[in-house]
Amino acid sequence: MWRLLARQAVDLIVLDLMLPGDDGLELCRQLRTHSDLPVIMLTARGDATDRIVGLELGAADYLPKPFDPRELLARIRATLRRAGSRRHDGATTDRLRFDGWTLDRQRHELHDPDGTVVPLSGGEYRLLEIFVERPNRALGRELLLDLLQGREATPSDRTVHPRLP
């Protein structure tokens, strides 16, 4: 895995916990020290404690075996959608620039073209980040909800309103 990551662009890792040598939990822990590449963990150990440990170590998702391959594919797609702006080396861009403006992802700040900080609420910041990460794309309501709140969310119909002209 380490040799492949060093020489090839990877968008996501599907990692089994029960591997010979270092187990998946240890590999995920090591991976988190130098990358925020999304990880989906697969395992026959599916009790709540194992899932919690996997997620606490930084896994984006956790799927117990046996599973339907279509569910794995759906979880991969959802994780990649949430990962959005990741570069192929697994790192994220700290500053996103658009039309003279700068979105500082480390400080969670928006700077106007003169460098002045523009105050944003947490929701406004995240929504702007989603749009800036995906320039020149129409983003549907369902995708916005998924990106804003994750797959576990159960938003009301009033969370994101489509505006009519």
Side-chain angles (χ1 to χ4, degrees):
M1 177 182 85
W2 299 116
R3 285 191 304 267
L4 179 71
L5 288 173
R7 67 175 194 269
Q8 187 171 336
V10 174
D11 294 318
L12 177 138
I13 294 175
V14 177
L15 186 60
D16 195 315
L17 269 118
M18 299 171 78
L19 297 170
D22 287 340
D23 68 6
L25 291 174
E26 180 57 31
L27 289 174
C28 186
R29 183 179 294 114
Q30 292 172 15
L31 185 63
R32 283 296 153 256
T33 64
H34 27 110
S35 174
D36 62 351
L37 190 66
V39 174
I40 296 177
M41 291 190 164
L42 303 178
T43 186
R45 298 183 338 214
D47 66 41
T49 302
D50 291 323
R51 288 191 305 272
I52 292 167
V53 169
L55 293 169
E56 290 287 329
L57 285 174
D61 204 348
Y62 190 104
L63 187 60
K65 295 176 186 177
F67 57 86
D68 185 320
R70 294 173 299 177
E71 181 180 3
L72 174 60
L73 184 58
R75 288 176 183 251
I76 288 171
R77 287 180 179 148
T79 301
L80 289 173
R81 277 194 312 270
R82 285 191 301 268
S85 71
R86 295 185 193 283
R87 297 187 320 231
H88 288 291
D89 62 2
T92 57
T93 306
D94 288 340
R95 290 196 173 106
L96 300 174
R97 301 184 198 292
F98 59 99
D99 200 28
W101 293 72
T102 302
L103 192 63
D104 186 327
R105 297 172 84 181
Q106 279 193 304
R107 295 185 174 172
H108 287 250
E109 293 177 342
L110 174 65
H111 298 263
D112 71 11
D114 295 325
T116 305
V117 175
V118 178
L120 296 174
S121 70
E124 290 169 334
Y125 170 84
R126 182 64 189 127
L127 190 58
L128 179 60
E129 182 181 40
I130 288 168
F131 287 128
V132 173
E133 289 172 344
R134 295 159 184 81
N136 304 314
R137 284 182 50 197
L139 303 176
R141 181 178 179 273
E142 293 301 316
L143 177 59
L144 286 172
L145 289 171
D146 186 44
L147 292 168
L148 280 168
Q149 299 174 338
R151 67 180 171 77
E152 294 86 13
T154 54
S156 72
D157 288 346
R158 300 178 60 104
T159 304
V160 174
H161 298 277
R163 296 269 186 218
L164 300 175

